[in-house]
Amino acid sequence: MALVVGLGAIALVTFRYDPGSGLRAACAALLVAVIVGLTLRSVLASRVRPRGVPVTRAAQPDLWQDVESIADDAGARPPDEIRITSEPNACVREDTTLLGLRSRRSYLEIGLPLVAGLTVSELRSVLAHEMGHLAESSKLRTMCYRATVSVEQTSTDLSGGVVKWLFDGYARLYKTMASAANQSLELDADAIAVKIAGKRAAITALRKTTAIEVGWREYGDEFLSMANCAERTPDVLLGFRSFLDHPPRKQDLAERAKKAIEEERPRGMHPTTARRIAAMKKLPGGNRNLDERPAWSLLREPRRTVPALEDELLIDGLGPRAPWPELGKLAGDKQASHKAAMLSSAVLQSGVPVDPALGGVLQAIHRGNGRDLVNPVLNPGLSPENVDQAAVDTLTELLGAAVVDALVRAGLAHHVHDWGGRPQVRLANGQPLDPDGLVRPAVVDPQHIPGLHRTLVGMGVPLHHKQPPAEDPEPVPSGLVSSVQVAGSRFELVVTDRGLVLVPSSASTTQRLLAGVLASARQQENEQLAELLSTPVRDLQEAEGAQWVDSRDVSSAHWEQRTGGWTLTVRLFWDDYALSTLDTEMVEVLGEDTAELELRCTPDSEERGTPYEGLGELMGARMDLDDHVS
């Protein structure tokens, strides 16, 4: 603003002596004023949008009454909405104006994992802490907290450009200056939690919340992924509770949470959990009768309402609901069948002249062709010293799964759900079967193949069993970089676990600059990039002008990082067997069977998702790094 006033004054003074120059200076001042105005409008237009599923007062009067009672005890205004989310935490989010100086509407978000993992007293403690952020007794620090959250949200919402660069600098400075006040407010909110829920519940809730955050990720990776495989809808909340209560897991999560708390470092507005617990222990009094009921007891008719919430939050057309024992059995069967199909596909792609049935695979291993059989499905980015072990592990996994698939289809075995890990295999007589221990000795030493053959025949395994070859899996995107320059043209770079997709960029430099200033342009750009990242990769590959770099064609890659940006040079196999679909003008042909592709970041490049992590995993040992940034 001072810059605009200064330029206006210069224009006025100049006009008195030279009207022509004064008019030009006035035009310059007007242009700067417009840019500053648009910038302020963009910064101040950032809005907080509600997340999760709303819980109305009519549907859950007891929960609303409890929250309002907690807010009253905390000296805070009750939230305008209560919403259930899929995040393993709880928070109060406010839609504010003027970078947090005025609140429009507040949302209390309660994570479903907390409802599953905490008791009623512990959840009340968590909610009391969140309402404590807005306590009227410390208006100045509450306003500072609101402003910090608003600044962080605005910084996240802004896309690349000068505006984001300037605002990010301001955000870092503001958060540094406000850090002490915000940390003090966090400790005051903990004191409110102790006052309302009791010292024991507040401390236990902090520790268990850390374990829940770790456990929720593992639960999703190991068990919720089974729902897609089995095409069934699981009982998410009840399943997570069973997951947390599984004795070995419960002990492991508690130990890992303790270690995480010990190793935690202060971050921004949050003091460490260890410091918060130590401060709670010093507080006077705070004894309360504990309500040890599961937190979902605060919900009316949880057997009906919880599945409805889960359907809205997590499940999208997975199929009929199924209890976890049935879901685990179905998922185990399908996973074994899929891996058997992968074995068939690998055998056919390997070129080894053998039938992909179990008997043919055993013969190939006996002849010493085991590594050749699975070479097509090995990660091409593996370090050379790791290839042999990876081949043994992969062949063991696929062959063991094919044996299990044969037994299941013959009615001689079945899968049993196990909260300790993957579904377990049990034979018809109830005895457990370890597929890895059964086949690994013969994979490691082919001299054991005759013994394995006799064992399988004795178990009744049909050695003629095989699955149709599996199709290549759909590439899974890890993120995108918008935009990069290749052969003089701009592209959106989508990084997947199978290769790179280059989609022609439709945004000009002017549009990117406008997106950094105008909220509407920024929103439009964000929507376009979100749609691009959610589009199936096979559809992206077929888009007009799109280029595909298949990971199997990459022989090496070179990453050069300089102060001005980065350059990625990819060397490709360029022959009749190449799987990449690149226009000739996109690459530099080095010989009859080799070509190079060069990608450069642009001055306004920005990322969505985790494209650089995905790129590192995709290239693996094939990529060398050259970092010139001082």
Side-chain angles (χ1 to χ4, degrees):
M1 190 62 71
L3 176 62
V4 175
V5 174
L7 288 174
I10 292 172
L12 184 61
V13 172
T14 304
F15 185 80
R16 296 178 58 186
Y17 298 99
D18 184 352
S21 298
L23 285 174
R24 287 191 292 273
C27 289
L30 180 61
L31 177 62
V32 172
V34 171
I35 293 175
V36 170
L38 291 174
T39 299
L40 287 174
R41 182 174 180 272
S42 175
V43 168
L44 298 178
S46 180
R47 298 293 301 270
V48 169
R49 291 174 175 80
R51 303 181 299 189
V53 180
V55 176
T56 65
R57 190 185 303 272
Q60 295 294 342
D62 295 340
L63 177 62
W64 268 95
Q65 183 178 355
D66 219 48
V67 168
E68 288 174 337
S69 173
I70 289 172
D72 184 60
D73 291 343
R77 185 170 63 87
D80 296 300
E81 289 187 34
I82 298 177
R83 305 181 75 90
I84 301 295
T85 73
S86 59
E87 300 296 320
N89 53 44
C91 68
V92 175
R93 300 173 75 238
E94 292 187 292
D95 186 16
T96 61
T97 59
L98 301 176
L99 288 180
L101 295 182
R102 187 170 69 88
S103 176
R104 289 192 186 98
R105 194 168 181 81
S106 62
Y107 309 96
L108 173 60
E109 298 179 354
I110 306 174
L112 195 66
L114 295 188
V115 178
L118 298 180
T119 66
V120 169
S121 288
E122 291 161 355
L123 182 61
R124 283 177 175 151
S125 169
V126 171
L127 300 184
H129 173 88
E130 294 305 322
M131 299 310 302
H133 289 150
L134 308 179
E136 295 294 328
S137 59
S138 54
K139 288 186 177 180
L140 205 57
R141 281 187 293 180
T142 297
M143 186 179 296
C144 178
Y145 170 82
R146 282 191 177 119
T148 303
V149 173
S150 180
V151 164
E152 289 179 342
Q153 181 66 40
T154 302
S155 180
T156 300
D157 288 347
L158 288 172
S159 59
V162 177
V163 175
K164 181 173 177 59
W165 180 77
L166 291 173
F167 189 83
D168 282 352
Y170 162 75
R172 285 192 295 271
L173 177 62
Y174 178 84
K175 286 188 288 186
T176 299
M177 295 177 62
S179 175
N182 286 325
Q183 291 197 19
S184 177
L185 182 65
E186 285 288 318
L187 297 177
D188 286 351
D190 283 337
I192 290 173
V194 169
K195 175 185 173 183
I196 293 174
K199 188 182 298 186
R200 181 180 173 187
I203 292 175
T204 305
L206 262 182
R207 289 174 173 153
K208 287 177 70 172
T209 299
T210 303
I212 286 171
E213 289 178 357
V214 176
W216 182 247
R217 291 193 297 269
E218 293 185 358
Y219 177 66
D221 292 341
E222 294 184 31
F223 294 96
L224 291 184
S225 59
M226 290 182 185
N228 284 319
C229 181
E231 298 180 340
R232 294 292 187 274
T233 300
D235 294 319
V236 180
L237 185 144
L238 292 177
F240 188 50
R241 184 75 184 203
S242 298
F243 173 90
L244 293 174
D245 288 341
H246 185 262
R249 282 194 184 274
K250 186 174 185 178
Q251 182 178 353
D252 177 64
L253 287 173
E255 292 174 354
R256 290 163 64 187
K258 180 180 178 181
K259 183 178 180 181
I261 291 172
E262 292 173 350
E263 296 176 351
E264 184 183 3
R265 296 291 178 265
R267 49 188 177 88
M269 58 196 295
H270 297 284
T272 64
T273 303
R275 179 185 170 190
R276 293 171 62 188
I277 291 175
M280 285 181 180
K281 289 180 178 179
K282 295 178 181 178
L283 292 172
N287 294 319
R288 292 286 186 276
N289 292 327
L290 296 179
D291 189 336
E292 299 284 3
R293 292 177 300 159
W296 64 65
S297 302
L298 292 176
L299 299 176
R300 173 180 285 186
E301 298 182 42
R303 291 183 179 275
R304 178 182 61 83
T305 57
V306 168
L309 289 170
E310 292 174 352
D311 287 343
E312 291 189 67
L313 279 173
L314 304 172
I315 311 302
D316 184 17
L318 289 177
R321 278 196 170 266
W324 277 102
E326 178 185 343
L327 192 146
K329 176 182 179 302
L330 290 172
D333 291 352
K334 288 200 172 187
Q335 287 168 355
S337 178
H338 175 66
K339 289 178 181 178
M342 287 179 60
L343 179 62
S344 296
S345 178
V347 171
L348 293 176
Q349 293 180 39
S350 71
V352 177
V354 65
D355 181 15
L358 281 172
V361 172
L362 293 179
Q363 292 176 15
I365 297 173
H366 197 207
R367 294 198 300 261
N369 297 128
R371 173 174 166 176
D372 296 332
L373 290 180
V374 295
N375 190 58
V377 295
L378 294 181
N379 182 353
L382 284 171
S383 299
E385 62 270 18
N386 295 330
V387 171
D388 287 341
Q389 186 60 50
V392 169
D393 292 341
T394 302
L395 183 54
T396 297
E397 179 182 8
L398 299 185
L399 179 59
V403 169
V404 170
D405 185 52
L407 288 168
V408 168
R409 291 181 177 273
L412 300 174
H414 60 279
H415 284 92
V416 178
H417 182 67
D418 182 5
W419 287 115
R422 295 182 301 176
Q424 301 297 306
V425 182
R426 291 195 179 275
L427 299 173
N429 60 9
Q431 292 296 315
L433 173 66
D434 176 14
D436 185 288
L438 177 66
V439 305
R440 183 176 289 273
V443 172
V444 173
D445 184 357
Q447 292 184 12
H448 294 297
I449 285 291
L452 175 61
H453 185 280
R454 288 192 297 271
T455 300
L456 295 180
V457 170
M459 295 170 60
V461 177
L463 297 182
H464 61 275
H465 174 76
K466 61 183 175 182
Q467 285 286 356
E471 296 182 358
D472 284 345
E474 175 76 17
V476 178
S478 57
L480 67 84
V481 181
S482 176
S483 58
V484 300
Q485 192 171 50
V486 183
S489 300
R490 292 168 68 102
F491 291 86
E492 313 291 6
L493 171 63
V494 180
V495 181
T496 80
D497 62 340
R498 310 282 294 177
L500 309 176
V501 188
L502 294 165
V503 182
S505 177
S506 58
S508 64
T509 302
T510 303
Q511 290 173 311
R512 297 301 299 274
L513 290 174
L514 285 176
V517 176
L518 296 176
S520 58
R522 180 178 70 248
Q523 182 178 354
Q524 182 181 4
E525 182 190 43
N526 287 337
E527 290 174 354
Q528 290 173 345
L529 294 180
E531 182 181 357
L532 181 67
L533 198 53
S534 63
T535 301
V537 175
R538 297 197 190 280
D539 292 345
L540 295 179
Q541 290 173 301
E542 296 174 0
E544 184 177 356
Q547 314 287 319
W548 168 251
V549 181
D550 197 287
S551 174
R552 291 167 288 187
D553 292 339
V554 177
S555 63
S556 64
H558 179 76
W559 177 278
E560 186 174 7
Q561 182 76 47
R562 294 185 180 273
T563 304
W566 55 262
T567 301
L568 174 64
T569 305
V570 181
R571 181 160 291 192
L572 302 165
F573 297 115
W574 194 254
D575 52 28
D576 294 338
Y577 300 99
L579 300 170
S580 302
T581 53
L582 288 163
D583 295 339
T584 305
E585 58 268 22
M586 298 287 293
V587 300
E588 179 185 355
V589 179
L590 304 179
E592 293 184 1
D593 58 358
T594 307
E596 272 190 356
L597 174 71
E598 185 177 270
L599 302 88
R600 293 178 179 272
C601 70
T602 58
D604 56 350
S605 288
E606 57 178 312
E607 62 188 271
R608 295 287 192 282
T610 56
Y612 298 117
E613 293 179 18
L615 190 63
E617 294 175 2
L618 179 71
M619 297 300 177
R622 294 173 294 180
M623 185 162 68
D624 65 277
L625 305 177
D626 190 358
D627 191 345
H628 293 278
V629 180
S630 58

